[in-house]
Amino acid sequence: MKILLLEHPRKPAEDRQNDIANTTLASCLTSGYLAANLLKAGHCVDLIEGYMEHLSYDAIEREVAAFRPTLLAVHLVYNWEDNHVLFDFLTRLKADYGIQHLSVYGYYPTFAYKEVLDRCPAIDSAMLGENELTVVDLADHLDHWQDVKGLAFRTADGVQASFGTLVEDLDTLPFPIRKATSYPGGEVNILGSRGCYNTCTFCYINPFFGDHTGCPRWRTRTPENILAEIDQVIAQTDHRYFYFDDPNFFGPGKAGRDRVLKLAALLKTRPITFGIEARANDIDEATTKALVDAGMTDILVGLESGRQEVLDRLDKHTTVAQNEEALRILRANGIEPNVGFIMFEPDSSFDDLRTNFDFLMRNDLLKRLEISVNVLYHHQIILAGSESYKQLQREGRLHISDHSVYEATTDYLNPDIAAFARFMRQLTNHIFDWSAGTWQAAADGEPEARAAFDRVNTVLVGWFKAILDQPDKLHDFDALVAEAKSDVDRAIAG
């Protein structure tokens, strides 16, 4: 059977320039894994990377016309906007090229399948959750696909839905198919594990990769299997920087650390560098030193807050002391970490924000614009599948987006906090607009760009502190935003 997997075109919304939580980073390998598993099962497969290849809809249509698939499966990504243009395109493709079955997969259709099926009648099914096994089952039984486990689809009585079977042994999966465009800037995305052992309220990883009730379920590949994939990529491309897309690189407890030490020992035998993402409580001296010796150069640590009451509300199961110790250990080993931080969450108070600001200052996290512009503006993004979404819905505080049930907002308990969050978003968007063309030069240490970044950073941090000290400034909101943007522009000009 001829099966076409499509990564559809998408672009960032102007006011959501640095919001990446609409789909987890690990999803960038989803289509490659599906393609590999279908090929292993003996099917004829093509993969169109519409997003990474910057393809237009016309260019995609030409490839569909040439391939003529029986089954078209689309990685449907919510893009902070109504998907009607994409839906209209898929509807026409199905009709014009005799496509027997149109299915979608990914985080968005998993948690908003009723909406997707309603908005695009041409879509026959949505694959829910992890889907390597589901897609093969669908392809093998396309003539009676309604019997396939792991699908949501319309029936005479409404919508029927079930989650598919999880891959218990990740080593049994073939390595994902990667096209030439799968290496942005020479970076190789790789997945060493799935799921997480924690239950952060803002996260939807476990309902997708776990048992679909939100209970923690972390599964791993063996270090040997990971190394075999790395060797294959090097042999095929000579790319040598790998970024582990795992939501949680470390597994739980001693077993998780022992596995990391074993993996580090294997990675050390290869001439590579790599980056990971981790929780603060997993950072210790022994594993950090081993990973750095093996080639680790980058890490993103999910700190989220510098106030214990907020960490507890977010169900992080970490402490402020652990956050600070993680920063100390990483820096002692030569790593300046990127950090995940939620400055504005629905129940934030000004005491929370002041404590957060003090935490960031004393831990030297506001010295570079690349960090400051992120940690000082991020609000909690509320997406379907997360416990926050469900809790706010139970409390009657959830406001569904005009575009989709997948995204929601809520009223802040303090209206001035809401205004502060809105002010910071407008100011940082202004900075993102400017910095897009200067970012690489500043990262490379080009003197003029670096100096401009430093000046803008001083202005940004200064404005945040000024509002913390005098929240009543927010009452003349439009004038305040205009003044702050002018200060940024003067800093850019030097």
Short mmCIF file of all heavy atoms in Angstrom, two decimals, residues 57-118:
data_model
loop_
_atom_site.label_atom_id
_atom_site.label_comp_id
_atom_site.label_asym_id
_atom_site.label_seq_id
_atom_site.Cartn_x
_atom_site.Cartn_y
_atom_site.Cartn_z
N TYR A 57 1.72 25.01 -0.39
CA TYR A 57 0.67 24.02 -0.63
C TYR A 57 0.71 23.53 -2.07
O TYR A 57 0.44 22.35 -2.34
CB TYR A 57 -0.70 24.60 -0.29
CG TYR A 57 -0.97 24.68 1.19
CD1 TYR A 57 -1.29 25.89 1.80
CD2 TYR A 57 -0.93 23.54 1.99
CE1 TYR A 57 -1.55 25.97 3.16
CE2 TYR A 57 -1.19 23.61 3.35
CZ TYR A 57 -1.49 24.82 3.94
OH TYR A 57 -1.74 24.89 5.28
N ASP A 58 1.03 24.41 -3.00
CA ASP A 58 1.12 23.99 -4.40
C ASP A 58 2.23 22.95 -4.59
O ASP A 58 2.05 21.97 -5.33
CB ASP A 58 1.38 25.20 -5.30
CG ASP A 58 0.16 26.08 -5.46
OD1 ASP A 58 -0.95 25.61 -5.14
OD2 ASP A 58 0.31 27.23 -5.90
N ALA A 59 3.36 23.18 -3.94
CA ALA A 59 4.47 22.23 -4.06
C ALA A 59 4.11 20.88 -3.45
O ALA A 59 4.44 19.82 -4.00
CB ALA A 59 5.72 22.80 -3.39
N ILE A 60 3.41 20.91 -2.34
CA ILE A 60 2.97 19.67 -1.70
C ILE A 60 1.99 18.93 -2.61
O ILE A 60 2.06 17.71 -2.77
CB ILE A 60 2.35 19.96 -0.33
CG1 ILE A 60 3.43 20.45 0.64
CG2 ILE A 60 1.64 18.73 0.23
CD1 ILE A 60 2.90 20.98 1.95
N GLU A 61 1.09 19.69 -3.21
CA GLU A 61 0.10 19.06 -4.09
C GLU A 61 0.78 18.35 -5.26
O GLU A 61 0.35 17.26 -5.67
CB GLU A 61 -0.90 20.09 -4.60
CG GLU A 61 -1.98 19.47 -5.48
CD GLU A 61 -3.08 20.43 -5.85
OE1 GLU A 61 -3.06 21.59 -5.38
OE2 GLU A 61 -3.98 20.03 -6.63
N ARG A 62 1.84 18.94 -5.78
CA ARG A 62 2.55 18.30 -6.89
C ARG A 62 3.13 16.95 -6.45
O ARG A 62 3.13 15.97 -7.21
CB ARG A 62 3.64 19.22 -7.42
CG ARG A 62 3.10 20.40 -8.23
CD ARG A 62 4.20 21.11 -8.99
NE ARG A 62 5.13 21.82 -8.11
CZ ARG A 62 4.96 23.08 -7.70
NH1 ARG A 62 3.89 23.76 -8.09
NH2 ARG A 62 5.85 23.65 -6.93
N GLU A 63 3.63 16.89 -5.23
CA GLU A 63 4.19 15.62 -4.74
C GLU A 63 3.08 14.60 -4.50
O GLU A 63 3.26 13.40 -4.76
CB GLU A 63 4.98 15.86 -3.44
CG GLU A 63 6.24 16.70 -3.65
CD GLU A 63 7.25 16.51 -2.53
OE1 GLU A 63 7.32 15.40 -1.96
OE2 GLU A 63 7.96 17.49 -2.22
N VAL A 64 1.94 15.05 -4.00
CA VAL A 64 0.80 14.14 -3.80
C VAL A 64 0.33 13.60 -5.15
O VAL A 64 0.05 12.40 -5.29
CB VAL A 64 -0.35 14.87 -3.07
CG1 VAL A 64 -1.59 13.99 -3.03
CG2 VAL A 64 0.07 15.25 -1.65
N ALA A 65 0.25 14.47 -6.14
CA ALA A 65 -0.20 14.05 -7.48
C ALA A 65 0.74 13.02 -8.08
O ALA A 65 0.29 12.10 -8.78
CB ALA A 65 -0.30 15.27 -8.38
N ALA A 66 2.04 13.17 -7.79
CA ALA A 66 3.01 12.21 -8.34
C ALA A 66 2.98 10.88 -7.60
O ALA A 66 3.13 9.82 -8.21
CB ALA A 66 4.41 12.82 -8.27
N PHE A 67 2.72 10.91 -6.28
CA PHE A 67 2.79 9.69 -5.47
C PHE A 67 1.46 8.92 -5.45
O PHE A 67 1.43 7.70 -5.41
CB PHE A 67 3.22 10.05 -4.05
CG PHE A 67 3.51 8.86 -3.17
CD1 PHE A 67 4.60 8.06 -3.42
CD2 PHE A 67 2.68 8.55 -2.10
CE1 PHE A 67 4.88 6.96 -2.61
CE2 PHE A 67 2.94 7.47 -1.29
CZ PHE A 67 4.05 6.67 -1.54
N ARG A 68 0.35 9.65 -5.43
CA ARG A 68 -1.00 9.06 -5.41
C ARG A 68 -1.18 8.05 -4.26
O ARG A 68 -1.34 6.85 -4.47
CB ARG A 68 -1.30 8.36 -6.74
CG ARG A 68 -1.29 9.28 -7.95
CD ARG A 68 -2.60 10.02 -8.08
NE ARG A 68 -2.57 11.01 -9.16
CZ ARG A 68 -3.65 11.56 -9.70
NH1 ARG A 68 -4.86 11.21 -9.27
NH2 ARG A 68 -3.55 12.45 -10.66
N PRO A 69 -1.17 8.53 -3.04
CA PRO A 69 -1.27 7.61 -1.90
C PRO A 69 -2.68 7.05 -1.72
O PRO A 69 -3.68 7.69 -2.08
CB PRO A 69 -0.90 8.50 -0.71
CG PRO A 69 -1.37 9.87 -1.13
CD PRO A 69 -1.09 9.94 -2.60
N THR A 70 -2.74 5.85 -1.17
CA THR A 70 -4.03 5.30 -0.74
C THR A 70 -4.40 5.84 0.63
O THR A 70 -5.56 6.15 0.91
CB THR A 70 -3.95 3.76 -0.67
OG1 THR A 70 -3.55 3.26 -1.94
CG2 THR A 70 -5.29 3.16 -0.28
N LEU A 71 -3.40 5.97 1.49
CA LEU A 71 -3.58 6.51 2.84
C LEU A 71 -2.72 7.75 2.99
O LEU A 71 -1.52 7.71 2.74
CB LEU A 71 -3.17 5.46 3.88
CG LEU A 71 -3.01 5.92 5.34
CD1 LEU A 71 -4.33 6.45 5.89
CD2 LEU A 71 -2.49 4.78 6.22
N LEU A 72 -3.35 8.86 3.38
CA LEU A 72 -2.63 10.09 3.69
C LEU A 72 -2.76 10.34 5.19
O LEU A 72 -3.88 10.42 5.72
CB LEU A 72 -3.21 11.27 2.92
CG LEU A 72 -2.69 12.68 3.30
CD1 LEU A 72 -1.19 12.78 3.05
CD2 LEU A 72 -3.44 13.77 2.52
N ALA A 73 -1.63 10.44 5.88
CA ALA A 73 -1.62 10.70 7.33
C ALA A 73 -0.86 12.00 7.58
O ALA A 73 0.26 12.18 7.09
CB ALA A 73 -0.98 9.54 8.08
N VAL A 74 -1.48 12.90 8.33
CA VAL A 74 -0.95 14.25 8.51
C VAL A 74 -0.63 14.49 9.98
O VAL A 74 -1.48 14.27 10.86
CB VAL A 74 -1.97 15.31 8.03
CG1 VAL A 74 -1.39 16.71 8.17
CG2 VAL A 74 -2.39 15.03 6.59
N HIS A 75 0.59 14.93 10.24
CA HIS A 75 0.96 15.35 11.60
C HIS A 75 0.35 16.72 11.84
O HIS A 75 0.86 17.74 11.37
CB HIS A 75 2.48 15.40 11.76
CG HIS A 75 2.93 15.79 13.14
ND1 HIS A 75 4.15 16.35 13.39
CD2 HIS A 75 2.31 15.67 14.34
CE1 HIS A 75 4.28 16.58 14.68
NE2 HIS A 75 3.17 16.19 15.28
N LEU A 76 -0.76 16.75 12.54
CA LEU A 76 -1.55 17.97 12.69
C LEU A 76 -1.08 18.74 13.93
O LEU A 76 -1.24 18.29 15.05
CB LEU A 76 -3.03 17.61 12.81
CG LEU A 76 -4.04 18.75 12.72
CD1 LEU A 76 -3.91 19.48 11.39
CD2 LEU A 76 -5.45 18.22 12.89
N VAL A 77 -0.48 19.90 13.68
CA VAL A 77 0.06 20.72 14.75
C VAL A 77 -0.81 21.96 14.93
O VAL A 77 -1.07 22.68 13.96
CB VAL A 77 1.52 21.14 14.45
CG1 VAL A 77 2.05 22.08 15.52
CG2 VAL A 77 2.40 19.91 14.34
N TYR A 78 -1.25 22.20 16.15
CA TYR A 78 -1.99 23.42 16.45
C TYR A 78 -1.03 24.60 16.38
O TYR A 78 0.04 24.58 16.98
CB TYR A 78 -2.63 23.33 17.84
CG TYR A 78 -3.33 24.60 18.26
CD1 TYR A 78 -4.45 25.04 17.57
CD2 TYR A 78 -2.87 25.36 19.33
CE1 TYR A 78 -5.09 26.21 17.94
CE2 TYR A 78 -3.51 26.51 19.72
CZ TYR A 78 -4.62 26.94 19.01
OH TYR A 78 -5.26 28.09 19.38
N ASN A 79 -1.42 25.64 15.65
CA ASN A 79 -0.50 26.73 15.38
C ASN A 79 -1.04 28.07 15.85
O ASN A 79 -0.83 29.09 15.20
CB ASN A 79 -0.18 26.79 13.88
CG ASN A 79 1.12 27.51 13.60
OD1 ASN A 79 2.08 27.33 14.33
ND2 ASN A 79 1.16 28.32 12.57
N TRP A 80 -1.75 28.06 16.98
CA TRP A 80 -2.28 29.28 17.56
C TRP A 80 -3.25 30.00 16.62
O TRP A 80 -3.45 31.21 16.73
CB TRP A 80 -1.16 30.25 17.95
CG TRP A 80 0.00 29.66 18.66
CD1 TRP A 80 1.29 29.61 18.22
CD2 TRP A 80 0.00 29.04 19.95
NE1 TRP A 80 2.08 28.99 19.15
CE2 TRP A 80 1.33 28.63 20.23
CE3 TRP A 80 -0.99 28.77 20.90
CZ2 TRP A 80 1.69 27.98 21.39
CZ3 TRP A 80 -0.62 28.12 22.07
CH2 TRP A 80 0.70 27.74 22.31
N GLU A 81 -3.86 29.27 15.71
CA GLU A 81 -4.80 29.91 14.80
C GLU A 81 -5.76 28.86 14.25
O GLU A 81 -5.57 27.66 14.41
CB GLU A 81 -4.07 30.57 13.63
CG GLU A 81 -3.30 29.59 12.76
CD GLU A 81 -2.52 30.26 11.64
OE1 GLU A 81 -2.39 31.48 11.66
OE2 GLU A 81 -2.05 29.53 10.75
N ASP A 82 -6.82 29.33 13.60
CA ASP A 82 -7.78 28.43 12.96
C ASP A 82 -7.09 27.72 11.79
O ASP A 82 -6.43 28.35 10.97
CB ASP A 82 -8.97 29.25 12.45
CG ASP A 82 -10.14 28.37 12.03
OD1 ASP A 82 -9.89 27.24 11.57
OD2 ASP A 82 -11.28 28.82 12.16
N ASN A 83 -7.26 26.39 11.73
CA ASN A 83 -6.59 25.60 10.68
C ASN A 83 -7.43 25.46 9.42
O ASN A 83 -7.23 24.50 8.66
CB ASN A 83 -6.26 24.20 11.22
CG ASN A 83 -4.95 24.18 11.98
OD1 ASN A 83 -3.96 24.75 11.55
ND2 ASN A 83 -4.95 23.52 13.12
N HIS A 84 -8.35 26.37 9.15
CA HIS A 84 -9.29 26.16 8.05
C HIS A 84 -8.58 26.11 6.69
O HIS A 84 -9.02 25.40 5.78
CB HIS A 84 -10.38 27.24 8.04
CG HIS A 84 -9.91 28.60 7.63
ND1 HIS A 84 -9.35 29.49 8.54
CD2 HIS A 84 -9.89 29.23 6.43
CE1 HIS A 84 -9.04 30.60 7.90
NE2 HIS A 84 -9.35 30.47 6.63
N VAL A 85 -7.48 26.85 6.51
CA VAL A 85 -6.77 26.81 5.23
C VAL A 85 -6.21 25.41 5.01
O VAL A 85 -6.33 24.84 3.90
CB VAL A 85 -5.64 27.86 5.20
CG1 VAL A 85 -4.80 27.70 3.93
CG2 VAL A 85 -6.22 29.27 5.28
N LEU A 86 -5.60 24.84 6.03
CA LEU A 86 -5.09 23.48 5.92
C LEU A 86 -6.22 22.48 5.70
O LEU A 86 -6.11 21.59 4.85
CB LEU A 86 -4.30 23.11 7.18
CG LEU A 86 -3.85 21.65 7.28
CD1 LEU A 86 -2.87 21.30 6.17
CD2 LEU A 86 -3.23 21.39 8.66
N PHE A 87 -7.29 22.64 6.45
CA PHE A 87 -8.41 21.70 6.31
C PHE A 87 -9.00 21.75 4.90
O PHE A 87 -9.34 20.71 4.32
CB PHE A 87 -9.49 22.00 7.34
CG PHE A 87 -9.10 21.65 8.76
CD1 PHE A 87 -9.71 22.26 9.84
CD2 PHE A 87 -8.13 20.69 9.02
CE1 PHE A 87 -9.37 21.94 11.14
CE2 PHE A 87 -7.78 20.35 10.31
CZ PHE A 87 -8.40 20.97 11.38
N ASP A 88 -9.14 22.94 4.35
CA ASP A 88 -9.65 23.06 2.98
C ASP A 88 -8.70 22.39 1.98
O ASP A 88 -9.15 21.72 1.03
CB ASP A 88 -9.82 24.54 2.60
CG ASP A 88 -10.97 25.21 3.34
OD1 ASP A 88 -11.78 24.48 3.95
OD2 ASP A 88 -11.04 26.45 3.33
N PHE A 89 -7.41 22.54 2.21
CA PHE A 89 -6.41 21.93 1.34
C PHE A 89 -6.50 20.40 1.40
O PHE A 89 -6.51 19.72 0.36
CB PHE A 89 -5.02 22.40 1.76
CG PHE A 89 -3.89 21.76 1.01
CD1 PHE A 89 -3.69 22.01 -0.34
CD2 PHE A 89 -3.00 20.91 1.66
CE1 PHE A 89 -2.64 21.42 -1.03
CE2 PHE A 89 -1.95 20.32 0.99
CZ PHE A 89 -1.77 20.58 -0.37
N LEU A 90 -6.60 19.85 2.60
CA LEU A 90 -6.68 18.40 2.75
C LEU A 90 -7.97 17.85 2.13
O LEU A 90 -7.97 16.77 1.51
CB LEU A 90 -6.61 18.02 4.23
CG LEU A 90 -5.30 18.32 4.95
CD1 LEU A 90 -5.40 17.97 6.43
CD2 LEU A 90 -4.12 17.61 4.29
N THR A 91 -9.06 18.59 2.28
CA THR A 91 -10.33 18.16 1.70
C THR A 91 -10.22 18.05 0.18
O THR A 91 -10.69 17.08 -0.43
CB THR A 91 -11.44 19.16 2.08
OG1 THR A 91 -11.57 19.19 3.50
CG2 THR A 91 -12.76 18.77 1.44
N ARG A 92 -9.56 19.05 -0.43
CA ARG A 92 -9.41 19.04 -1.89
C ARG A 92 -8.46 17.93 -2.34
O ARG A 92 -8.71 17.25 -3.34
CB ARG A 92 -8.91 20.40 -2.36
CG ARG A 92 -8.89 20.55 -3.87
CD ARG A 92 -8.68 21.99 -4.28
NE ARG A 92 -7.46 22.55 -3.75
CZ ARG A 92 -6.24 22.30 -4.26
NH1 ARG A 92 -6.12 21.52 -5.32
NH2 ARG A 92 -5.18 22.86 -3.73
N LEU A 93 -7.37 17.72 -1.60
CA LEU A 93 -6.44 16.65 -1.96
C LEU A 93 -7.14 15.30 -1.98
O LEU A 93 -6.97 14.50 -2.91
CB LEU A 93 -5.28 16.59 -0.96
CG LEU A 93 -4.17 17.62 -1.04
CD1 LEU A 93 -3.08 17.28 -0.03
CD2 LEU A 93 -3.58 17.72 -2.44
N LYS A 94 -7.92 15.05 -0.95
CA LYS A 94 -8.60 13.75 -0.85
C LYS A 94 -9.54 13.55 -2.03
O LYS A 94 -9.58 12.45 -2.62
CB LYS A 94 -9.37 13.66 0.46
CG LYS A 94 -10.01 12.30 0.70
CD LYS A 94 -10.78 12.27 2.00
CE LYS A 94 -11.44 10.92 2.20
NZ LYS A 94 -12.31 10.88 3.40
N ALA A 95 -10.28 14.58 -2.39
CA ALA A 95 -11.24 14.45 -3.48
C ALA A 95 -10.57 14.35 -4.85
O ALA A 95 -10.97 13.55 -5.70
CB ALA A 95 -12.20 15.64 -3.45
N ASP A 96 -9.51 15.15 -5.05
CA ASP A 96 -8.90 15.24 -6.39
C ASP A 96 -7.97 14.07 -6.72
O ASP A 96 -7.76 13.79 -7.90
CB ASP A 96 -8.12 16.55 -6.52
CG ASP A 96 -9.03 17.77 -6.59
OD1 ASP A 96 -10.26 17.57 -6.66
OD2 ASP A 96 -8.51 18.90 -6.55
N TYR A 97 -7.44 13.40 -5.70
CA TYR A 97 -6.43 12.39 -5.98
C TYR A 97 -6.81 11.00 -5.48
O TYR A 97 -5.97 10.14 -5.31
CB TYR A 97 -5.07 12.83 -5.40
CG TYR A 97 -4.61 14.11 -6.04
CD1 TYR A 97 -4.76 15.33 -5.39
CD2 TYR A 97 -4.10 14.10 -7.33
CE1 TYR A 97 -4.37 16.52 -5.99
CE2 TYR A 97 -3.71 15.29 -7.95
CZ TYR A 97 -3.85 16.49 -7.28
OH TYR A 97 -3.49 17.66 -7.89
N GLY A 98 -8.10 10.79 -5.25
CA GLY A 98 -8.62 9.47 -4.95
C GLY A 98 -8.04 8.84 -3.69
O GLY A 98 -7.84 7.62 -3.63
N ILE A 99 -7.77 9.66 -2.68
CA ILE A 99 -7.21 9.14 -1.43
C ILE A 99 -8.30 8.39 -0.68
O ILE A 99 -9.37 8.94 -0.39
CB ILE A 99 -6.64 10.29 -0.58
CG1 ILE A 99 -5.45 10.93 -1.31
CG2 ILE A 99 -6.22 9.79 0.81
CD1 ILE A 99 -4.96 12.22 -0.70
N GLN A 100 -8.04 7.14 -0.35
CA GLN A 100 -9.06 6.31 0.28
C GLN A 100 -9.30 6.68 1.74
O GLN A 100 -10.45 6.65 2.21
CB GLN A 100 -8.64 4.82 0.21
CG GLN A 100 -9.68 3.85 0.79
CD GLN A 100 -9.23 2.40 0.65
OE1 GLN A 100 -8.48 2.05 -0.26
NE2 GLN A 100 -9.68 1.56 1.55
N HIS A 101 -8.23 7.03 2.45
CA HIS A 101 -8.38 7.31 3.88
C HIS A 101 -7.45 8.46 4.26
O HIS A 101 -6.28 8.49 3.90
CB HIS A 101 -8.02 6.07 4.71
CG HIS A 101 -8.40 6.18 6.16
ND1 HIS A 101 -9.57 5.65 6.66
CD2 HIS A 101 -7.78 6.76 7.21
CE1 HIS A 101 -9.64 5.90 7.96
NE2 HIS A 101 -8.57 6.57 8.32
N LEU A 102 -8.01 9.42 5.01
CA LEU A 102 -7.26 10.56 5.51
C LEU A 102 -7.26 10.51 7.04
O LEU A 102 -8.32 10.54 7.66
CB LEU A 102 -7.88 11.87 5.02
CG LEU A 102 -7.34 13.18 5.59
CD1 LEU A 102 -5.84 13.32 5.33
CD2 LEU A 102 -8.10 14.38 5.00
N SER A 103 -6.08 10.42 7.63
CA SER A 103 -5.95 10.35 9.08
C SER A 103 -5.01 11.45 9.56
O SER A 103 -4.18 11.97 8.78
CB SER A 103 -5.42 8.98 9.51
OG SER A 103 -5.51 8.81 10.92
N VAL A 104 -5.14 11.83 10.81
CA VAL A 104 -4.26 12.84 11.41
C VAL A 104 -3.70 12.28 12.72
O VAL A 104 -4.29 11.39 13.34
CB VAL A 104 -4.99 14.16 11.66
CG1 VAL A 104 -5.36 14.83 10.34
CG2 VAL A 104 -6.25 13.97 12.51
N TYR A 105 -2.57 12.83 13.16
CA TYR A 105 -1.95 12.36 14.39
C TYR A 105 -1.19 13.52 15.05
O TYR A 105 -0.96 14.56 14.44
CB TYR A 105 -1.02 11.18 14.12
CG TYR A 105 0.07 11.44 13.09
CD1 TYR A 105 1.33 11.91 13.46
CD2 TYR A 105 -0.17 11.22 11.73
CE1 TYR A 105 2.31 12.13 12.52
CE2 TYR A 105 0.82 11.45 10.78
CZ TYR A 105 2.06 11.91 11.18
OH TYR A 105 3.04 12.13 10.25
N GLY A 106 -0.81 13.33 16.31
CA GLY A 106 -0.08 14.35 17.04
C GLY A 106 -0.80 14.77 18.30
O GLY A 106 -1.87 14.24 18.65
N TYR A 107 -0.24 15.74 19.00
CA TYR A 107 -0.81 16.19 20.27
C TYR A 107 -2.16 16.87 20.07
O TYR A 107 -3.11 16.64 20.84
CB TYR A 107 0.17 17.15 20.96
CG TYR A 107 1.32 16.42 21.60
CD1 TYR A 107 2.41 16.00 20.83
CD2 TYR A 107 1.32 16.12 22.94
CE1 TYR A 107 3.47 15.31 21.41
CE2 TYR A 107 2.37 15.43 23.53
CZ TYR A 107 3.44 15.03 22.76
OH TYR A 107 4.47 14.34 23.32
N TYR A 108 -2.25 17.75 19.07
CA TYR A 108 -3.50 18.47 18.84
C TYR A 108 -4.67 17.53 18.59
O TYR A 108 -5.69 17.57 19.30
CB TYR A 108 -3.28 19.47 17.70
CG TYR A 108 -4.52 20.20 17.22
CD1 TYR A 108 -5.56 20.52 18.08
CD2 TYR A 108 -4.62 20.60 15.89
CE1 TYR A 108 -6.68 21.20 17.63
CE2 TYR A 108 -5.73 21.28 15.42
CZ TYR A 108 -6.76 21.57 16.29
OH TYR A 108 -7.86 22.24 15.83
N PRO A 109 -4.61 16.62 17.62
CA PRO A 109 -5.76 15.73 17.41
C PRO A 109 -5.97 14.74 18.55
O PRO A 109 -7.10 14.28 18.76
CB PRO A 109 -5.43 15.01 16.09
CG PRO A 109 -3.98 15.15 15.92
CD PRO A 109 -3.59 16.44 16.55
N THR A 110 -4.93 14.42 19.30
CA THR A 110 -5.12 13.52 20.44
C THR A 110 -6.02 14.16 21.49
O THR A 110 -6.91 13.50 22.04
CB THR A 110 -3.76 13.16 21.06
OG1 THR A 110 -3.03 12.33 20.16
CG2 THR A 110 -3.94 12.40 22.38
N PHE A 111 -5.82 15.44 21.75
CA PHE A 111 -6.57 16.10 22.82
C PHE A 111 -7.74 16.95 22.33
O PHE A 111 -8.49 17.50 23.13
CB PHE A 111 -5.62 16.95 23.67
CG PHE A 111 -4.56 16.15 24.36
CD1 PHE A 111 -3.22 16.39 24.12
CD2 PHE A 111 -4.91 15.12 25.22
CE1 PHE A 111 -2.23 15.64 24.75
CE2 PHE A 111 -3.93 14.36 25.86
CZ PHE A 111 -2.59 14.62 25.62
N ALA A 112 -7.91 17.05 21.00
CA ALA A 112 -9.04 17.83 20.46
C ALA A 112 -9.63 17.11 19.24
O ALA A 112 -10.02 17.73 18.27
CB ALA A 112 -8.57 19.23 20.08
N TYR A 113 -9.73 15.79 19.32
CA TYR A 113 -10.15 15.02 18.14
C TYR A 113 -11.58 15.32 17.72
O TYR A 113 -11.90 15.32 16.53
CB TYR A 113 -9.95 13.51 18.37
CG TYR A 113 -10.67 12.93 19.56
CD1 TYR A 113 -11.99 12.54 19.48
CD2 TYR A 113 -9.99 12.74 20.77
CE1 TYR A 113 -12.65 12.00 20.57
CE2 TYR A 113 -10.64 12.19 21.86
CZ TYR A 113 -11.97 11.83 21.76
OH TYR A 113 -12.63 11.30 22.84
N LYS A 114 -12.46 15.59 18.67
CA LYS A 114 -13.85 15.91 18.30
C LYS A 114 -13.90 17.18 17.47
O LYS A 114 -14.62 17.25 16.47
CB LYS A 114 -14.71 16.04 19.55
CG LYS A 114 -14.94 14.73 20.28
CD LYS A 114 -15.84 14.92 21.49
CE LYS A 114 -16.07 13.59 22.22
NZ LYS A 114 -16.91 13.76 23.43
N GLU A 115 -13.14 18.18 17.89
CA GLU A 115 -13.10 19.44 17.14
C GLU A 115 -12.53 19.22 15.74
O GLU A 115 -13.07 19.73 14.76
CB GLU A 115 -12.22 20.43 17.89
CG GLU A 115 -11.87 21.69 17.12
CD GLU A 115 -10.95 22.59 17.92
OE1 GLU A 115 -11.43 23.17 18.91
OE2 GLU A 115 -9.76 22.70 17.57
N VAL A 116 -11.45 18.45 15.64
CA VAL A 116 -10.82 18.21 14.34
C VAL A 116 -11.77 17.49 13.39
O VAL A 116 -11.92 17.87 12.22
CB VAL A 116 -9.52 17.39 14.54
CG1 VAL A 116 -8.98 16.91 13.20
CG2 VAL A 116 -8.47 18.23 15.27
N LEU A 117 -12.42 16.46 13.89
CA LEU A 117 -13.35 15.71 13.05
C LEU A 117 -14.54 16.55 12.64
O LEU A 117 -15.08 16.40 11.54
CB LEU A 117 -13.81 14.45 13.79
CG LEU A 117 -12.73 13.39 14.04
CD1 LEU A 117 -13.27 12.30 14.96
CD2 LEU A 117 -12.25 12.78 12.73
N ASP A 118 -14.96 17.44 13.50
CA ASP A 118 -16.10 18.31 13.20
C ASP A 118 -15.73 19.37 12.17
O ASP A 118 -16.51 19.67 11.25
CB ASP A 118 -16.61 18.97 14.47
CG ASP A 118 -17.79 19.89 14.22
OD1 ASP A 118 -18.84 19.39 13.76
OD2 ASP A 118 -17.67 21.12 14.48
#
